[in-house]
Amino acid sequence: MPDVGPARVELRGLRILGRHGVLAEERLRAQPFELDVDLVFDVGVAAESDDLADTVDYAAVVAAATRVVEGEHCRLLERLVVRVGEAVLELDTRVEHVTVVLRKLRPPVPADLGSAGVRVTISR
């Protein structure tokens, strides 16, 4: 098998309810957030073995992101997106970089705004 090396694994459109924001109403009533998570790691061993033990468990990534968004209370999206990224990196030392995009789907602004979000990349 050829040397495959690092690849970007993409998880898209994870929707989770959370209580985050500066306004009191945002912290009292759960609102929808949407996340995209990109994981960069060497997929060569998994590509050869075809064994789940040789790759990053995407279900564990989803569970970690869900725990953070449902369990923590952050005023700023900037803090929340970094906390999600940190939680993902803690799961598996094979992940070299994680990029998390976090979107608040109902931002409290007086305009027809589809979402407000933050994208961050965290490296080991």
Side-chain angles (χ1 to χ4, degrees), residues 36-90:
D36 298 334
V37 180
D38 290 355
L39 309 164
V40 176
F41 61 94
D42 188 336
V43 300
V45 173
E48 189 168 329
S49 72
D50 202 25
D51 187 339
L52 180 60
D54 291 330
T55 192
V56 176
D57 184 351
Y58 314 141
V61 172
V62 168
T66 300
R67 274 193 305 276
V68 172
V69 174
E70 288 181 346
E72 296 190 19
H73 300 285
C74 300
R75 294 169 54 89
L76 301 178
L77 294 179
E78 293 83 349
R79 174 158 174 82
L80 182 58
V81 74
V82 168
R83 284 294 305 124
V84 170
E86 291 171 341
V88 170
L89 280 180
E90 290 172 5

Side-chain angles (χ1 to χ4, degrees), residues 82-113:
V82 168
R83 284 294 305 124
V84 170
E86 291 171 341
V88 170
L89 280 180
E90 290 172 5
L91 288 175
D92 197 312
T93 59
R94 293 175 288 196
V95 177
E96 299 169 19
H97 313 282
V98 61
T99 298
V100 180
V101 179
L102 174 74
R103 288 179 292 279
K104 182 182 279 194
L105 299 180
R106 294 186 194 142
V109 296
D112 186 10
L113 179 62

Side-chain angles (χ1 to χ4, degrees), residues 5-59:
R8 179 176 312 275
V9 174
E10 301 176 348
L11 307 177
R12 295 288 181 259
L14 174 61
R15 291 196 177 196
I16 307 167
L17 293 177
R19 293 179 171 86
H20 307 281
V22 173
L23 302 176
E25 68 185 54
E26 294 177 291
R27 292 188 307 273
L28 292 175
R29 186 171 29 95
Q31 56 192 307
F33 292 84
E34 185 175 74
L35 289 91
D36 298 334
V37 180
D38 290 355
L39 309 164
V40 176
F41 61 94
D42 188 336
V43 300
V45 173
E48 189 168 329
S49 72
D50 202 25
D51 187 339
L52 180 60
D54 291 330
T55 192
V56 176
D57 184 351
Y58 314 141

